[in-house]
Amino acid sequence: MRLTTATASDTDDRVTAAPAVDYEQLMLTGRSLVVALGYDPDDESWRETPRRFADSWREFIEFDPGVVDTAFDGLASDQLVVVSDMRLWSVCQHHLLPFWCDVSIAYVPNGVVLGLSKFARVAHAAAHKPQLQERMSEEIATTIQRLTGSTDVAVIARGQHLCMAMRGVRTPGSVTSVVLRGAFRNKDHVYSEFVQKLRA
Ligand SMILES: [Zn+2]
């Protein structure tokens, strides 16, 4: 992850808290899955699988990206801020198979500039649930917009989906989603600057 430009004031920290999972239900589901796949969950080699299954889902859903560091104090409004190449892990809502995404976020501060770890927190909060890449990108953009008060926000996500790579078309390849809001929509200099920074 790299931060190209940053500065500014502290804002609220209302990033959606992760829900608690039903651990017992996950254990039962893990066991049922083993049965549904045609194996004996009481066989020695399978005995720990329902617990591991429950543990990994709990860890994924209840993931806490950690405390946000202090944001900086306010700066000029026409400076482009770009945080690029944040690797996120998520699970596809359609297949419940993992995907990962390299996400870049840009915005033009409107008096408020977020700290680096807040970007990561926002991004991870959007990723740690059954998700669709497009919706995840939209959610990140909306939260950044809310936290910064800026309407000029862009998110580019490049994802690799196991549901594409290991089943179905079995074709590894990246899926790109682009969210452009405010000044970025006009594809003017702000947009070009963003794209340029991603290529740098
Ligand atoms: Zn899928």
Side-chain angles (χ1 to χ4, degrees), residues 180-194:
L180 301 174
R181 296 188 183 166
F184 290 95
R185 287 195 70 80
N186 308 326
K187 306 244 170 129
D188 61 5
H189 68 281
V190 186
Y191 177 78
S192 335
E193 209 182 317
F194 177 34

Side-chain angles (χ1 to χ4, degrees), residues 77-150:
S77 58
D78 60 348
Q79 219 171 5
L80 178 66
V81 178
V82 178
V83 182
S84 48
D85 300 327
M86 278 183 285
R87 171 62 58 92
L88 305 179
W89 283 89
S90 189
V91 164
C92 153
Q93 186 178 335
H94 290 160
H95 302 95
L96 294 180
L97 288 172
F99 68 92
W100 71 86
C101 250
D102 289 325
V103 173
S104 299
I105 304 172
Y107 77 105
V108 182
N110 181 16
V112 173
V113 180
L114 296 180
L116 179 60
S117 68
K118 193 163 289 192
F119 283 96
R121 184 178 177 119
V122 167
H124 284 296
H128 278 265
K129 55 188 167 189
Q131 246 317 3
L132 303 176
Q133 185 180 316
E134 296 75 15
R135 189 176 62 210
M136 186 183 80
S137 309
E138 293 282 352
E139 279 180 23
I140 293 171
T142 300
T143 308
I144 295 296
Q145 220 172 319
R146 178 167 56 75
L147 293 177
T148 62
S150 170

Side-chain angles (χ1 to χ4, degrees), residues 3-175:
L3 180 68
T4 308
T5 313
T7 3
S9 87
D10 207 354
T11 52
D12 71 40
D13 191 31
R14 291 168 299 161
V15 175
T16 318
V21 298
D22 183 337
Y23 189 78
E24 286 308 307
Q25 194 59 49
L26 278 174
M27 287 277 285
L28 291 171
T29 304
R31 191 180 162 86
S32 304
L33 183 58
V34 174
V35 174
L37 295 175
Y39 295 92
D40 173 10
D42 294 317
D43 183 86
E44 176 114 40
S45 66
W46 285 101
R47 210 165 290 155
E48 290 300 307
T49 300
R51 183 189 54 75
R52 293 190 190 104
F53 174 87
D55 284 350
S56 51
W57 273 102
R58 178 165 66 183
E59 190 184 322
F60 171 65
I61 296 290
E62 296 182 1
F63 175 80
D64 180 359
V67 181
V68 176
D69 69 2
T70 331
F72 317 90
D73 238 322
L75 223 244
S77 58
D78 60 348
Q79 219 171 5
L80 178 66
V81 178
V82 178
V83 182
S84 48
D85 300 327
M86 278 183 285
R87 171 62 58 92
L88 305 179
W89 283 89
S90 189
V91 164
C92 153
Q93 186 178 335
H94 290 160
H95 302 95
L96 294 180
L97 288 172
F99 68 92
W100 71 86
C101 250
D102 289 325
V103 173
S104 299
I105 304 172
Y107 77 105
V108 182
N110 181 16
V112 173
V113 180
L114 296 180
L116 179 60
S117 68
K118 193 163 289 192
F119 283 96
R121 184 178 177 119
V122 167
H124 284 296
H128 278 265
K129 55 188 167 189
Q131 246 317 3
L132 303 176
Q133 185 180 316
E134 296 75 15
R135 189 176 62 210
M136 186 183 80
S137 309
E138 293 282 352
E139 279 180 23
I140 293 171
T142 300
T143 308
I144 295 296
Q145 220 172 319
R146 178 167 56 75
L147 293 177
T148 62
S150 170
T151 50
D152 305 322
V153 175
V155 174
I156 294 184
R158 285 189 193 89
Q160 298 271 350
H161 295 243
L162 290 197
C163 60
M164 280 174 67
M166 69 181 276
R167 59 158 293 285
V169 290
R170 288 189 177 81
T171 310
S174 48
V175 176

